[in-house]
Amino acid sequence: MPAPQQPRPLGRTAHPQSADASPAIAGAFTLLSRRWNGLILMALAKGPAGFAQIRERVPGISNRMLTQRLQELTAIDLVAQDVRPGQSPRTRYTLSPHGKAFLVPLAVLFLWAEDHLPASGSPSDQPATPGH
């Protein structure tokens, strides 16, 4: 019986040794550090939506901020716009292929946060335990 083959990375290094080794990871953290970006992407993971639907899926975001974030996410090709012409044109937003690919790490981060962060989202709210 032949030995199982190890999967090979697709043009990437296995794991950077430090954050300094990867500008890509710094870019990903910058993207997520901008308030609302992750929540907008998660809202669009539910399917294409108009502006009002996204605002309903992301409670607390203002119209101005949602407009700004959608423009930014569209500019970096995580979100795509589908403008339907007519007397009252309608714009629907959807995740681009890059946005859909971003859902994989975003989902993992979501699961980690559910398991390890208190409801308030602040790790300092948890009591310190020895060895953690």
Side-chain angles (χ1 to χ4, degrees):
M1 174 180 267
Q5 292 183 350
Q6 293 293 322
R8 291 183 287 179
L10 300 173
R12 297 175 243 193
T13 57
H15 294 284
Q17 296 301 314
S18 71
D20 293 338
S22 178
I25 194 69
F29 279 115
T30 298
L31 171 69
L32 286 175
S33 71
R34 296 197 48 102
R35 189 167 183 193
W36 306 109
N37 281 350
L39 295 174
I40 292 168
L41 294 171
M42 292 296 285
L44 288 173
K46 296 176 181 178
F51 187 90
Q53 289 174 302
I54 298 169
R55 195 179 59 233
E56 288 173 8
R57 294 176 187 176
V58 183
I61 192 168
S62 70
N63 287 347
R64 181 173 177 238
M65 184 58 65
L66 180 55
T67 298
Q68 184 179 31
R69 291 296 185 255
L70 284 170
Q71 288 172 345
E72 293 169 0
L73 293 168
T74 300
I76 60 173
D77 195 31
L78 290 177
V79 171
Q81 291 183 6
D82 178 26
V83 181
R84 306 278 171 137
Q87 284 187 332
S88 58
R90 295 184 181 217
T91 302
R92 305 250 322 148
Y93 298 91
T94 187
L95 292 175
S96 70
H98 293 297
K100 289 177 183 173
F102 192 66
L103 289 180
V104 173
L106 196 56
V108 172
L109 180 62
F110 176 81
L111 292 173
W112 176 87
E114 288 284 313
D115 288 345
H116 298 284
L117 294 179
S120 71
S122 171
S124 63
D125 290 345
Q126 289 189 349
T129 55
H132 289 103

